[in-house]
């Protein structure tokens, strides 16, 4: 199992393009002129392309984002977005719904020894 750092700066646009350009030609069969607009012809090619991206950029893609990645341009946009840790401390209690409570420390309950 690979563990990637949670907070990451996005790679430079040049680095993203240097990785995705040959990958789009090889995996998707895109032309050199229109490689950015290349789409995934089937799920297998999308899987192969995104798996190679995850290994190259050391940044996983959550399943909630997969449906938004339909072209190489979408993948470029995804990897240009910085990853930041959510700042739960900055949430004010009045901004949370009534049924949500954030507990910053873990709560340990004794095991029932019955």
């Amino acid at each position: 199992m690979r563990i990637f750092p949670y907070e990451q700066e996005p790679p430079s646009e040049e680095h993203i393009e240097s990785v995705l350009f040959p990958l789009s030609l090889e995996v998707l069969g895109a032309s050199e002129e229109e490689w950015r607009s290349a789409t995934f012809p089937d799920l297998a090619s999308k899987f192969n392309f995104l798996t190679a991206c995850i290994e190259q950029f050391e940044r996983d893609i959550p399943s909630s984002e997969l449906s938004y990645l339909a072209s190489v341009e979408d993948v470029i946009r995804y990897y240009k977005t910085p990853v930041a840790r959510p700042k739960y401390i900055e949430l004010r209690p009045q901004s949370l719904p009534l049924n949500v409570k954030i507990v910053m420390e873990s709560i340990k309950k004794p095991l029932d020894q019955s």
Side-chain angles (χ1 to χ4, degrees), residues 16-27:
I16 293 172
E17 289 182 1
S18 71
V19 170
L20 297 186
F21 176 70
L23 199 57
S24 63
L25 297 179
E26 178 186 331
V27 176

PDB file of all heavy atoms in Angstrom, residues 16-27:
ATOM      1  N   ILE A  16       3.418  18.599 -15.579  1.00  0.00           N
ATOM      2  CA  ILE A  16       2.161  17.892 -15.894  1.00  0.00           C
ATOM      3  C   ILE A  16       2.118  17.561 -17.381  1.00  0.00           C
ATOM      4  O   ILE A  16       1.817  16.432 -17.769  1.00  0.00           O
ATOM      5  CB  ILE A  16       0.938  18.737 -15.484  1.00  0.00           C
ATOM      6  CG1 ILE A  16       0.874  18.882 -13.962  1.00  0.00           C
ATOM      7  CG2 ILE A  16      -0.354  18.110 -16.004  1.00  0.00           C
ATOM      8  CD1 ILE A  16      -0.189  19.850 -13.482  1.00  0.00           C
ATOM      9  N   GLU A  17       2.422  18.540 -18.209  1.00  0.00           N
ATOM     10  CA  GLU A  17       2.384  18.322 -19.662  1.00  0.00           C
ATOM     11  C   GLU A  17       3.446  17.323 -20.108  1.00  0.00           C
ATOM     12  O   GLU A  17       3.198  16.516 -21.002  1.00  0.00           O
ATOM     13  CB  GLU A  17       2.531  19.641 -20.398  1.00  0.00           C
ATOM     14  CG  GLU A  17       1.314  20.520 -20.271  1.00  0.00           C
ATOM     15  CD  GLU A  17       1.432  21.817 -21.035  1.00  0.00           C
ATOM     16  OE1 GLU A  17       2.462  22.045 -21.701  1.00  0.00           O
ATOM     17  OE2 GLU A  17       0.468  22.600 -20.974  1.00  0.00           O
ATOM     18  N   SER A  18       4.630  17.359 -19.488  1.00  0.00           N
ATOM     19  CA  SER A  18       5.690  16.423 -19.885  1.00  0.00           C
ATOM     20  C   SER A  18       5.336  14.982 -19.544  1.00  0.00           C
ATOM     21  O   SER A  18       5.815  14.050 -20.181  1.00  0.00           O
ATOM     22  CB  SER A  18       7.017  16.808 -19.226  1.00  0.00           C
ATOM     23  OG  SER A  18       6.986  16.538 -17.839  1.00  0.00           O
ATOM     24  N   VAL A  19       4.471  14.782 -18.560  1.00  0.00           N
ATOM     25  CA  VAL A  19       4.028  13.431 -18.207  1.00  0.00           C
ATOM     26  C   VAL A  19       2.826  13.020 -19.054  1.00  0.00           C
ATOM     27  O   VAL A  19       2.768  11.913 -19.597  1.00  0.00           O
ATOM     28  CB  VAL A  19       3.671  13.357 -16.702  1.00  0.00           C
ATOM     29  CG1 VAL A  19       2.978  12.048 -16.362  1.00  0.00           C
ATOM     30  CG2 VAL A  19       4.924  13.534 -15.849  1.00  0.00           C
ATOM     31  N   LEU A  20       1.857  13.930 -19.191  1.00  0.00           N
ATOM     32  CA  LEU A  20       0.601  13.565 -19.855  1.00  0.00           C
ATOM     33  C   LEU A  20       0.689  13.517 -21.374  1.00  0.00           C
ATOM     34  O   LEU A  20      -0.056  12.764 -22.006  1.00  0.00           O
ATOM     35  CB  LEU A  20      -0.516  14.515 -19.427  1.00  0.00           C
ATOM     36  CG  LEU A  20      -0.888  14.488 -17.949  1.00  0.00           C
ATOM     37  CD1 LEU A  20      -2.097  15.361 -17.698  1.00  0.00           C
ATOM     38  CD2 LEU A  20      -1.152  13.080 -17.471  1.00  0.00           C
ATOM     39  N   PHE A  21       1.570  14.302 -21.964  1.00  0.00           N
ATOM     40  CA  PHE A  21       1.686  14.293 -23.419  1.00  0.00           C
ATOM     41  C   PHE A  21       2.059  12.909 -23.951  1.00  0.00           C
ATOM     42  O   PHE A  21       1.314  12.328 -24.752  1.00  0.00           O
ATOM     43  CB  PHE A  21       2.685  15.357 -23.886  1.00  0.00           C
ATOM     44  CG  PHE A  21       2.930  15.348 -25.367  1.00  0.00           C
ATOM     45  CD1 PHE A  21       1.943  15.763 -26.245  1.00  0.00           C
ATOM     46  CD2 PHE A  21       4.134  14.903 -25.880  1.00  0.00           C
ATOM     47  CE1 PHE A  21       2.166  15.746 -27.618  1.00  0.00           C
ATOM     48  CE2 PHE A  21       4.361  14.887 -27.242  1.00  0.00           C
ATOM     49  CZ  PHE A  21       3.373  15.312 -28.117  1.00  0.00           C
ATOM     50  N   PRO A  22       3.192  12.305 -23.528  1.00  0.00           N
ATOM     51  CA  PRO A  22       3.509  10.968 -24.054  1.00  0.00           C
ATOM     52  C   PRO A  22       2.504   9.911 -23.623  1.00  0.00           C
ATOM     53  O   PRO A  22       2.226   8.970 -24.367  1.00  0.00           O
ATOM     54  CB  PRO A  22       4.900  10.667 -23.499  1.00  0.00           C
ATOM     55  CG  PRO A  22       5.117  11.607 -22.388  1.00  0.00           C
ATOM     56  CD  PRO A  22       4.238  12.791 -22.634  1.00  0.00           C
ATOM     57  N   LEU A  23       1.932  10.086 -22.432  1.00  0.00           N
ATOM     58  CA  LEU A  23       0.948   9.121 -21.945  1.00  0.00           C
ATOM     59  C   LEU A  23      -0.320   9.143 -22.796  1.00  0.00           C
ATOM     60  O   LEU A  23      -0.885   8.088 -23.117  1.00  0.00           O
ATOM     61  CB  LEU A  23       0.616   9.450 -20.488  1.00  0.00           C
ATOM     62  CG  LEU A  23      -0.010   8.390 -19.634  1.00  0.00           C
ATOM     63  CD1 LEU A  23       0.842   7.135 -19.581  1.00  0.00           C
ATOM     64  CD2 LEU A  23      -0.240   8.921 -18.230  1.00  0.00           C
ATOM     65  N   SER A  24      -0.754  10.338 -23.199  1.00  0.00           N
ATOM     66  CA  SER A  24      -1.955  10.430 -24.036  1.00  0.00           C
ATOM     67  C   SER A  24      -1.708   9.865 -25.429  1.00  0.00           C
ATOM     68  O   SER A  24      -2.606   9.280 -26.038  1.00  0.00           O
ATOM     69  CB  SER A  24      -2.456  11.868 -24.117  1.00  0.00           C
ATOM     70  OG  SER A  24      -1.503  12.684 -24.738  1.00  0.00           O
ATOM     71  N   LEU A  25      -0.481  10.026 -25.933  1.00  0.00           N
ATOM     72  CA  LEU A  25      -0.163   9.444 -27.242  1.00  0.00           C
ATOM     73  C   LEU A  25      -0.131   7.918 -27.161  1.00  0.00           C
ATOM     74  O   LEU A  25      -0.659   7.228 -28.030  1.00  0.00           O
ATOM     75  CB  LEU A  25       1.188   9.957 -27.742  1.00  0.00           C
ATOM     76  CG  LEU A  25       1.321  11.459 -28.002  1.00  0.00           C
ATOM     77  CD1 LEU A  25       2.727  11.791 -28.457  1.00  0.00           C
ATOM     78  CD2 LEU A  25       0.299  11.936 -28.998  1.00  0.00           C
ATOM     79  N   GLU A  26       0.481   7.408 -26.096  1.00  0.00           N
ATOM     80  CA  GLU A  26       0.654   5.961 -25.958  1.00  0.00           C
ATOM     81  C   GLU A  26      -0.633   5.238 -25.574  1.00  0.00           C
ATOM     82  O   GLU A  26      -1.029   4.277 -26.229  1.00  0.00           O
ATOM     83  CB  GLU A  26       1.721   5.690 -24.889  1.00  0.00           C
ATOM     84  CG  GLU A  26       1.968   4.221 -24.624  1.00  0.00           C
ATOM     85  CD  GLU A  26       2.919   4.027 -23.461  1.00  0.00           C
ATOM     86  OE1 GLU A  26       3.777   4.892 -23.228  1.00  0.00           O
ATOM     87  OE2 GLU A  26       2.781   2.993 -22.786  1.00  0.00           O
ATOM     88  N   VAL A  27      -1.297   5.707 -24.540  1.00  0.00           N
ATOM     89  CA  VAL A  27      -2.460   4.981 -24.004  1.00  0.00           C
ATOM     90  C   VAL A  27      -3.731   5.294 -24.784  1.00  0.00           C
ATOM     91  O   VAL A  27      -4.537   4.401 -25.060  1.00  0.00           O
ATOM     92  CB  VAL A  27      -2.659   5.299 -22.505  1.00  0.00           C
ATOM     93  CG1 VAL A  27      -3.906   4.639 -21.958  1.00  0.00           C
ATOM     94  CG2 VAL A  27      -1.435   4.865 -21.704  1.00  0.00           C
TER      95      VAL A  27
END
